[in-house]
Structures are given as C-alpha cells and as structure tokens.
C-alpha cells in the first residue's frame, strides 16, 4: 500500500493530498486528530451503472443529521483512497471551508480504475444520442451515479455539485453534458479538454517532459482487468538527474520503447516489432496526427449542449504548464454555444492546481505574486459559488462576476463582465532588425540562426528529472536570450503601463534549409535592474533584470495548415506559420521591457524535431536528424490583446 500512495502523490491529481515536510532529527509528536473522522461517517458502495458495471464510490456524510446537505462529488482515475470504511482522508471536498461547513462529499473511481469494474479508456469518447444501455461514457456514468446518490444517501437536499482538478476536471466538464436534473453546479478546474493540445501535446508537438507520466494511463490492470486497491503501474526511472542529457543521448523516440515493455504475467514477452505493453504509449506512437482517434476523445467540441440547469465555474492558473488550453477553451466554448447559461471563469497566478493549496505566500517557481491568494479564492470565490447554487436560491445573481482574473504584473484581482474585457483591442508589434520589437514595420529582411540538433535550446537551467514540468512557466529566460539560436526582439523601457488581457497570435514568416521545423514563441517581461529580489529566488539568480516568461507556445511546423494533414516545408521558401498563444492577463509596468523570443528547439520539454520531414517522428531514425539553418523574416508580427 505504501507503494500505491507514493505513486499516487506523484500523479497529476496530487493536488488534493496534503504533504507534510518533516524536519531532520527526532521530534516529539503529540496526539493527532483527524477532523474528517471526528465529524463525518464514511461508507463505501459499488454503484451499478446501466450496463451492469459497478463503480466503487466513497461517501463522507456529516455526523450532524439535524439538517439536509448538498452532495459534492469528484470522479477520479487516481483512486478514492484510502480504502476501508475505518480509514479517512485528512481533508475532503474542494476546500477546508466547505468541509467544515458540512457537505456530503463523494469520491468515485472511474470505470476501469482501481476498485471500479469495467475497462478504462484514456479520455473516453463521448457518445451522443445513445440508443442502448450498452452505450456508456463518462456522461452516462455520472448521470447514473448522481441518480443513485440522490435516491439513496440520507439527508441530501437533492442538489449535487461536481468539481475536479486536472483529469478529475475533465470528468467534471463531462458531467455537464446530458446532465442529471439534480446537478446544479460544476467547477472544472485545470480541466483537460483535448490530449492533442493539453498535457502530452502542444499544437502537435509531443511533450517529452511528460514521458514518465505515460505509464500512469497506459498500464493494463492485472488479473484480467480486475479491480485492484494498490498501484499496478510504475513510473519509468531514469538513470540520471540530468534529463536533458539523458534524452539527448537516447536519440530517436523509438529508442524509448523498452521503458514500456513490462513483461508481467498478464502480458506476453513476444510482441510485434514496435508494439509495447503500454497502450497509451502505443496510441501516442500510432497516432502522431490529429486523426479520428484524438478527435473522438476531445471534449471541447461537445460543449455545444451543456445543460442550462448547470452553473459552471471554470478555474485555471495563468502559469499552468499542464492544462492551460483546456480550461480556457472550455470556458470559451460553453460561453459561445450556450447563451443564457451561468458560466464564469476564474484565473489566478498559479501553477497546476495551486489554488487548492493552503499556503500564505503564493509563488510559482522563483516568482512571488502575493499573500493568501489561494486562500482568498477558496473563501470568497469557490465556497461562494457552491453555496449559492447548492444551498442558496441558485439564481443567476450569485454575487460573482463573469471573469474573476488576477493581473500577474500588477499582482491584483480584477472583475469583468466579459472575457476578454469589453475595452480590450488588438495591437500589432513587429519583429524588426537589431533586436527591436516595434509598433510599425520596418524594412523586410531575413534573420538567420543555426538549429543544431546536438545542442538544442533547453527549456530550463535546472539540472533535474521531473515527473511533469511546472516551474519553467515563470523561469528567468536570460539563459535563452544569450544563445545564438534564440532570436530576441524587445521594446525600449516602457513609458507607461501596458496591459495584455486576452489571447496572443504570432504571425511568423519563416524559412528553413530543411523540410521540417518547430517554432517556439515566448513573451517575456524584462524587469528593471533595481527590482528587489524575493526570498524564494534560487541562489544563483536575482530579480535584477529578471526575464519573466509570461506566455510561451510551440507549433510543430508540419501542422501549420492542418493538424490532421501534415506537410513538409519547401526548403528555403518563405512560409507563414501562425501560433496561437493562450490568454494572459499581465501588466508590463512602466520601466519594464516587453520582449519576444523566437527559437526552434525547446528540449526536453518537447521532443527533438528531425528537421527533415518524416511521416511519423516516433518512427524516425538517427539518420533523419539534421542540423538546419532557419530564417525569421522581419515582416513577422505578434498580435496582442491590449486593455485600453
């Protein structure tokens, strides 16, 4: 069981677990109490779905039975542990306030995971217009679960809310489609929307930095896919802390297959060439393009029919390295297609799930944003949302704005009736010669750099092996700005504040001596020399001239015209490559500089592009990888959304 918890803590859903830091030496510990055990009763049930499959469900009910309570539910692939009715979580619910106020809190292992029956499908596809009980998906499983809960759990008031962070956030979104009438509120948080644009891919580029997370989703359960209460998967252990050097030495992606050849009692050692025991790794390899498989698993395109009876509050972090596209696109698509729905967004200065932590100082990586920001969200936004729709009158007048957003430059909350704000407009800036970022185009010329596949641009200065990357989203980019294969364009020190509030579109004009290339654009806030250093800063850095990465994104060049139908570049031919960067809300203060960096490698955040076109990079040979010379033309521009 210890092994199971160790791996669970490393998983994407680690956000709901409280980790305590122990000081060295012997410390006398007094008696500890568990608030949940003192105030809640726990019951474990197996709820039968419409096709007969049983899903393991844990129900925490307040011991005070003098009143009725709403049900708050999370469905998860990461286990509803601890198992056993005498074993209690240290904390339950979205936050401690909702736990102490009293709510019926429910956790469920989704189909095919842990103690639930059935077969697990990674990002299970939605089935519209179901015609039989054999047609099941996460929407029908959620509906059947809610139906059982409201009819069988004592002292519930008939109102249900769902929440979840990361993959559980995906299930929270799923609940709003074909929703049960009792579902009144849903808060998808850092919710995956589509695995071709979240987590494992960004605009078609494979995120090699998520390599170790693959087995979490692709390892078959043992014993004929039977329920199991301990972790059946293990994370690949790299033989070094220097992941940059490890992946560089490993070479082509196909050389990593052996990490996913498990040779367990349930998997034969004789397998076809190139096929592993990990079905998710096989999916990644066999489906390099945005084909029918990926399209069917995406949830964003099914948000046209979110039930109007469900209030939604989408939560995300401006510096979430894992799921930033998902929550933004979830909010925007519900808003676009469901006029009249109660649909709001909350974005703060957090990394993945940072809003669920109970910390005083809110920091992402090296960068400090302020005190009690997460606690403010939990008390004044999240609790208020659920209480209004589950305990209050549920009217559209919740007291919360359409957009509750944190300006990461001014370091303060703002409220707007629309997102982007109504007074935002587009402003174009040009990538000009002499490292200038200008408001008007100058002469058109080409700026060249050599993209050496033996020395790709690192995404971080840190020498370490990570489970999934987080810190780099606010990392100091000086190390990159000083490389010859990173082009830099920046303004003079600003004479007045400049606030970006919305999406960013990079319109690049490029060429390459090869037939394939990646293009990375980063938007950076260059701080003045006299900026004071905060206490969390790494020892080798100072805030003086800190290059704060505000937003960044990659486009795998083969997908510049279509994610489904890739195409090579014509060598030395000027070509348009557009890159959509996700929304920001950041004020570049007077005296700061706005900088844009352009590069073609970002290693090992993304895998290494061979820079010669191959049908499938997962099958590329060593000989396919070639150093090339790239050109960025100075009629390239960046379109910002600027708040006036």
């Amino acid at each position: 069981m210890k092994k199971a918890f160790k791996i669970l803590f490393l998983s994407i859903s680690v956000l709901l677990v409280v980790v305590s830091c122990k000081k060295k030496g012997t410390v006398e510990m007094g008696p500890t109490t568990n608030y949940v055990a003192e105030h809640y009763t726990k019951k474990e049930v197996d709820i039968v779905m419409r096709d007969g499959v049983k899903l393991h469900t844990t129900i925490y009910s307040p011991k005070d039975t003098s009143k009725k309570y709403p049900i708050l539910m999370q469905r998860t692939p990461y286990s509803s542990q601890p198992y056993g009715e005498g074993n209690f979580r240290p904390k339950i619910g979205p936050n401690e306030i909702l736990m102490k106020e009293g709510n019926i809190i429910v956790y469920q292992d989704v189909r095919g995971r842990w103690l639930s029956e059935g077969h697990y499908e990674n990002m299970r596809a939605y089935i519209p217009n179901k015609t039989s009980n054999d047609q099941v998906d996460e929407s029908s499983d959620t509906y059947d679960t809610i139906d059982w809960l409201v009819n069988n759990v004592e002292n519930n008031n008939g109102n249900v809310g769902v929440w979840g962070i990361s993959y559980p956030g995906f299930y929270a979104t799923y609940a709003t489609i074909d929703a049960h009438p009792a579902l009144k509120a849903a808060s998808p948080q850092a919710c995956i929307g589509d695995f071709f644009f979240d987590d494992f891919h960004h605009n078609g580029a494979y995120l090699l930095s998520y390599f170790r997370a693959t087995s979490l989703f692709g390892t078959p359960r043992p014993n004929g896919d039977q329920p199991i209460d301990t972790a059946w998967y293990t994370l690949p252990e790299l033989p070094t802390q220097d992941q940059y050097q490890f992946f560089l030495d490993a070479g082509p992606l196909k050389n990593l297959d052996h990490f996913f050849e498990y040779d367990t009692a349930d998997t034969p050692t004789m397998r076809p060439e190139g096929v592993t025991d990990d079905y998710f790794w096989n999916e990644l390899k066999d489906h390099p393009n945005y084909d029918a498989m990926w399209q069917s698993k995406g949830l964003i395109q099914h948000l046209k029919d979110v039930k109007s009876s469900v209030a939604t509050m989408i939560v995300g972090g401006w510096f979430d390295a894992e799921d930033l596209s998902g929550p933004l696109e979830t909010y925007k698509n519900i808003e676009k297609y469901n006029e009249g729905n109660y649909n709001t967004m909350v974005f703060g200065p957090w990394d993945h799930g940072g809003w669920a932590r109970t910390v005083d100082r809110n920091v992402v990586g090296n960068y400090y944003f302020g005190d009690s920001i997460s606690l403010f969200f939990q008390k004044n936004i999240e609790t208020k949302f659920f209480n209004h729709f589950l305990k209050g009158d549920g009217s559209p007048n919740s007291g919360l704005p359409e957009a509750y957003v944190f300006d990461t430059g001014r370091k303060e909350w703002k409220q707007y009736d629309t997102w982007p704000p109504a007074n935002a407009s587009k402003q174009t800036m040009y990538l000009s010669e002499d490292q200038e970022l200008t408001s008007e185009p100058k002469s058109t010329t080409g700026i060249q750099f050599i993209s050496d596949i033996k020395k790709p641009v690192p995404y971080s200065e840190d020498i370490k092996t990570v489970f999934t990357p987080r810190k780099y989203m606010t990392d100091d980019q000086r190390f990159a700005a000083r490389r010859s294969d990173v082009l830099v364009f920046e303004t003079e020190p600003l004479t007045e504040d400049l606030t970006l509030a919305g999406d960013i579109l990079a319109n690049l004009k490029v060429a390459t001596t090869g037939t394939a290339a990646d293009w990375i654009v980063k938007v950076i806030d260059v701080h003045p020399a006299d900026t004071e250093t905060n206490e969390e800063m790494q020892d080798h850095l100072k805030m003086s001239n800190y290059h704060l990465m505000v937003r960044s994104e990659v486009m795998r060049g083969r997908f510049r015209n279509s994610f489904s139908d890739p195409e090579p570049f014509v060598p030395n031919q000027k070509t348009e490559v557009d890159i959509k960067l996700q929304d920001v809300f950041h004020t570049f203060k007077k005296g700061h500089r706005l900088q844009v960096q352009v590069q073609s490698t970002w290693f090992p955040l993304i895998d290494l592009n061979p820079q010669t076109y191959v049908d499938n990079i997962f099958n590329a040979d060593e000989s396919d990888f070639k150093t090339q010379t790239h050109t960025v033309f100075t009629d390239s521009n960046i379109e910002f959304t600027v708040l006036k």
Side-chain angles (χ1 to χ4, degrees), residues 46-294:
D46 293 325
I47 301 177
V48 181
M49 301 293 103
R50 64 189 64 181
D51 64 344
V53 168
K54 298 176 181 177
L55 302 189
H56 189 78
T57 309
T58 300
I59 304 165
Y60 293 91
S61 298
K63 289 182 178 179
D64 179 1
T65 58
S66 63
K67 55 185 176 180
K68 295 184 182 296
Y69 303 93
I71 296 171
L72 271 169
M73 179 173 69
Q74 179 186 106
R75 303 184 69 243
T76 177
Y78 301 129
S79 176
S80 56
Q81 289 179 347
Y83 297 118
E85 294 190 351
N87 299 318
F88 289 77
R89 290 189 175 210
K91 290 185 180 180
I92 57 174
N95 62 57
E96 190 171 301
I97 300 166
L98 288 166
M99 175 183 74
K100 291 185 175 180
E101 281 186 357
N103 288 279
I104 298 168
I105 309 296
V106 175
Y107 295 92
Q108 183 179 74
D109 295 338
V110 297
R111 180 180 292 255
R113 298 290 285 188
W114 296 87
L115 284 182
S116 284
E117 296 178 348
H119 178 67
Y120 173 69
E121 290 185 20
N122 198 12
M123 300 285 288
R124 189 183 302 274
Y126 168 67
I127 304 173
N129 305 314
K130 301 174 183 65
T131 58
S132 75
N133 286 340
D134 293 329
Q135 292 184 313
V136 294
D137 55 23
E138 305 303 340
S139 174
S140 65
D141 282 353
T142 307
Y143 188 104
D144 293 350
T145 299
I146 291 175
D147 197 64
W148 189 94
L149 291 171
V150 295
N151 286 295
N152 291 277
V153 176
E154 295 180 357
N155 295 316
N156 83 83
N157 70 358
N159 294 334
V160 178
V162 295
W163 94 99
I165 299 172
S166 194
Y167 216 140
F170 166 79
Y171 295 115
T173 306
Y174 224 132
T176 67
I177 304 171
D178 298 334
H180 191 283
L183 182 62
K184 302 301 183 184
S187 183
Q189 304 180 359
C191 44
I192 303 167
D194 192 315
F195 256 172
F196 207 73
F197 302 96
D198 289 303
D199 289 299
F200 291 90
H201 298 92
H202 276 208
N203 289 330
Y206 168 59
L207 265 72
L208 185 58
S209 50
Y210 285 78
F211 171 78
R212 296 185 68 226
T214 305
S215 59
L216 191 65
F217 306 105
T219 306
R221 282 194 302 188
N223 303 318
D225 207 9
Q226 291 299 303
I228 185 172
D229 66 356
T230 55
W232 62 97
Y233 49 80
T234 57
L235 306 180
E237 290 294 337
L238 305 188
T240 175
Q241 284 295 302
D242 189 346
Q243 63 178 5
Y244 179 99
Q245 194 63 46
F246 169 79
F247 286 116
L248 196 62
D249 292 343
L253 291 174
K254 64 182 181 179
N255 292 345
L256 301 174
D257 280 357
H258 65 93
F259 283 97
F260 304 108
E261 295 170 352
Y262 303 133
D263 293 339
T264 65
D266 286 24
T267 54
T269 56
M270 297 297 292
R271 60 179 69 83
E273 182 68 26
V275 176
T276 71
D277 301 312
D278 191 291
Y279 50 81
F280 184 41
W281 180 248
N282 291 335
E283 282 183 341
L284 290 166
K285 291 173 53 178
D286 295 342
H287 300 272
N289 307 324
Y290 193 52
D291 58 13
M293 187 208 74
W294 291 116

